[in-house]
Amino acid sequence: MKFKRSTAGLLAVGILAATGTVAADGPGKGNGPKRSVEDTSIIDSSSFSVSFDKTFPAGQPLERIVDVEFTDTDGNQINAGDLEVEVTSGNRSEVTVTHEDLDGQTGTLTVGDTELAFDHDTFDLNIFHTNDNHGRTDAYPQLVSAYNEAQDTYGEGLLLDAGDIFSGTLYFNEFRGQDAVEFMNYMGYDAFVPGNHEFDLGDPDEGHPELVEFFEAADFPIVAANIDFSGDSGFDHLNQGGISNDPQAGNIYDGIILEQDGEQIGIFGLDTENTVNISSPMNVTFSNYLAAAEQAVADFEAQGIDKIVALTHLGYDSSPAIGSDLLLAANVEGIDAIIGGHSHTTLEEPVIIDTNADGAPKDPTIIGQANEYGKFLGVMNLTFDSQGRVVDYAGELLAAEDYEADPTAAEMLEPYTEAVEELQNQPAGSYVVNELPNPRLGADSNVSVRANETALGNLIADAQLDAALTASDEVLMAVQNGGGIRAPIAAGDVTVGELITVQPFGNRLSLMEITGEELYEAFEHSFSNYPEENGGFLQISEGTEVTFDSTEEPGDRVESIIVDGEEIAQDSEMYTIAMNNFTAAGGDGYDVFSNIFEDDRVSIVGFTDWEMLRDYMADLGEVDYSVEGRITDIADE
């Protein structure tokens, strides 16, 4: 296998300061006092050191002082080329000798009467990887072709996925991951780490039956070193834990050991601890990713495994508060490669981290991530020395769109696509007068559904209030987290497919009993990041007006909450409000909602988000919504 050189520093030798360097001009002994070799050590595949009982004469080739010979394991002499000597300043009896690279060679170095075994054999490992598919099942046929060609080009290797197969499209809403796992089995994945979206369907009563079914259908093991599934009995028959050298399909482990070309490779998984805020894990819990990684590395090393891969859903460069691949590489020794996801980062070539958190040199860790949605197959090529250190690396992203669809995979996709298209095109019974955008902050927008009132947010909140009032006429208002609104609605006739794309998570309506004081606390959190985006920014229903002052410090911004002309007091009076079950359980960092949920003041009504939107819009028939001033920042006035 032919790799490009990754960095000059990777194989650099710490050569001592020189007072003279001369190439050897042939074997033999020079005149002068005889010198005995006191110590010899191998530095790396291109250098060794020698110490003598007397000083080394300036300008003398080493082989005029002492015989030097390299032989292989069969006793055949190896030509190591010219030997170049550098003498240590201040101690001329110590020298460093460089020679031609002996990478891949194993044998014996003889210096005078001293014999020293060397092992510079190398091992090449290919890793192919994907991440953050998010329900794009229709990407697999071309991705299969990219993978097949990659194997033809580079040879066989490990195929890994870094999480978030769930959520985001009609494919997922219809088939709950069972379509995706069929393609993953067809491709032959070797390991999978759950991402945060794998827990989107968490139910307080049923747990995660769809995720259990996904695992049960998988022909590959699940790695999850910092995820504890023991609180959800649905996973009991799959949850093995620990490090396994005989991992079984669909079973959950901290890490696994796989054999590749006669070498053992350790793979462990990590998911972002922020899953508790941005998904619905229910009784599944998450521990500190750095502590879990350190334990996994120690467990592998205890079994003699010196080639270790972290399969992560942390994000390449996510906030230090929630962790990232960069921080993992800098803070945990012993990880040779990180295959990542979550941040949807496009690493066109792998990235090397060879300094630790203190800036000191460390053994290299190579990081790869392949963007999103099955657009790319990531390729990482690693070369290890005999000590399990990465000494060379290369890699690339193969664009799936450049390949024809694999015929078998295309045939597999057909029934799934037919079902999705039938659902996609089903009329929803409403007509949108003006487009309902779903803005995000960026080059062409200074407003965001995650930071500002939007017409679409108003519509969705109103739909939830309308549904909630059929369950209880005591409901005061409805709120919708901005992060749960995923797409705009175009002007014209509306289809069911469009509405599922807008609200793809299948969240269910929940009613919450909340005090006035707690309601103010919730809106303080809603505005805490303003004017920056916050997935927990609350869109609000008709009749509610919330005024805040962004010039004040977070936690002291809400000026008033008025419903139907009456101001809500910050006291202990109890109210009923509606929201989706994700937000009600404390998603997006709502500690106040989480505490209420734990206090058993939440009931799940059961209406699904997109269905509520469909029914409300159908009742309206003609939908004409705009920004109305439901949310006001007095600093703007």
Side-chain angles (χ1 to χ4, degrees), residues 132-138 164-177 179-180 196-198 200-201 344 372-373 420 424 483-488 497-507 609-610:
D132 296 282
N133 178 276
H134 285 289
R136 270 66 174 186
T137 308
D138 53 347
D164 273 7
I165 292 295
F166 280 23
S167 293
T169 68
L170 298 179
Y171 284 101
F172 176 75
N173 281 77
E174 186 72 4
F175 300 109
R176 295 298 200 256
D179 51 340
N196 56 287
H197 281 286
E198 267 66 75
D200 282 349
L201 302 180
H344 300 215
E372 63 187 7
Y373 306 157
V420 164
Q424 172 79 44
I485 305 174
R486 309 298 283 195
E498 286 181 278
L499 301 183
I500 295 177
T501 303
V502 171
Q503 294 188 282
F505 302 123
N507 288 321
D609 48 17
W610 71 267

Side-chain angles (χ1 to χ4, degrees), residues 9 11-17 43-44 46-49 86 88 96-98:
L11 296 174
V13 178
I15 303 299
L16 304 173
I43 297 175
D44 57 26
S46 60
S47 63
F48 61 93
S49 66
E86 297 196 10
T88 304
T96 298
V97 186
T98 57

Side-chain angles (χ1 to χ4, degrees), residues 115 148 204 235 242 250 271 276 287 351 373 399 418 426 444 467 535 541 608 611:
E115 290 188 351
N148 290 337
F235 294 99
D271 190 12
V276 298
S287 62
V351 172
Y373 306 157
E418 288 174 3
Q426 182 178 329
D444 59 349
S541 57
T608 302
E611 292 177 325

Side-chain angles (χ1 to χ4, degrees), residues 302-325:
Q303 298 190 45
I305 307 301
D306 60 6
K307 301 172 186 66
I308 299 174
V309 178
L311 185 58
T312 73
H313 197 81
L314 301 173
Y316 173 67
D317 54 358
S318 303
S319 164
I322 60 175
S324 71
D325 291 336

Side-chain angles (χ1 to χ4, degrees), residues 161-162 191-194 222-227 243 253-256 266-272 287 289 292-293 296 300 309-314 328 339:
D161 189 275
F192 171 77
V193 62
I222 314 303
V223 289
N226 74 325
I227 309 178
I243 304 294
Y253 306 92
D254 294 343
I256 59 176
I267 305 170
F268 70 96
L270 299 171
D271 190 12
T272 175
S287 62
Y289 76 106
F300 282 126
V309 178
L311 185 58
T312 73
H313 197 81
L314 301 173
L328 176 65
I339 300 300

Side-chain angles (χ1 to χ4, degrees), residues 377-453:
L377 176 77
V379 179
M380 181 185 290
N381 315 121
L382 303 175
T383 299
F384 294 86
D385 66 14
S386 60
Q387 305 302 309
R389 292 184 294 260
V390 176
V391 293
D392 205 358
Y393 74 98
E396 62 177 328
L397 297 182
L398 302 179
E401 66 179 5
D402 293 340
Y403 298 86
E404 296 293 329
D406 175 78
T408 301
E411 185 177 349
M412 291 165 55
L413 181 66
E414 286 179 4
Y416 294 117
T417 300
E418 288 174 3
V420 164
E421 288 178 347
E422 182 178 347
L423 180 63
Q424 172 79 44
N425 298 323
Q426 182 178 329
S430 57
Y431 180 89
V432 171
V433 175
N434 297 301
E435 180 190 8
L436 299 171
N438 189 47
R440 295 290 301 273
L441 295 180
D444 59 349
S445 175
N446 60 359
V447 297
S448 170
V449 68
R450 302 184 181 208
N452 307 95
E453 176 191 345

Side-chain angles (χ1 to χ4, degrees), residues 206-220:
E206 299 181 5
H208 298 273
E210 293 90 351
L211 185 56
V212 171
E213 291 176 8
F214 177 84
F215 288 173
E216 288 174 335
D219 289 343
F220 44 85

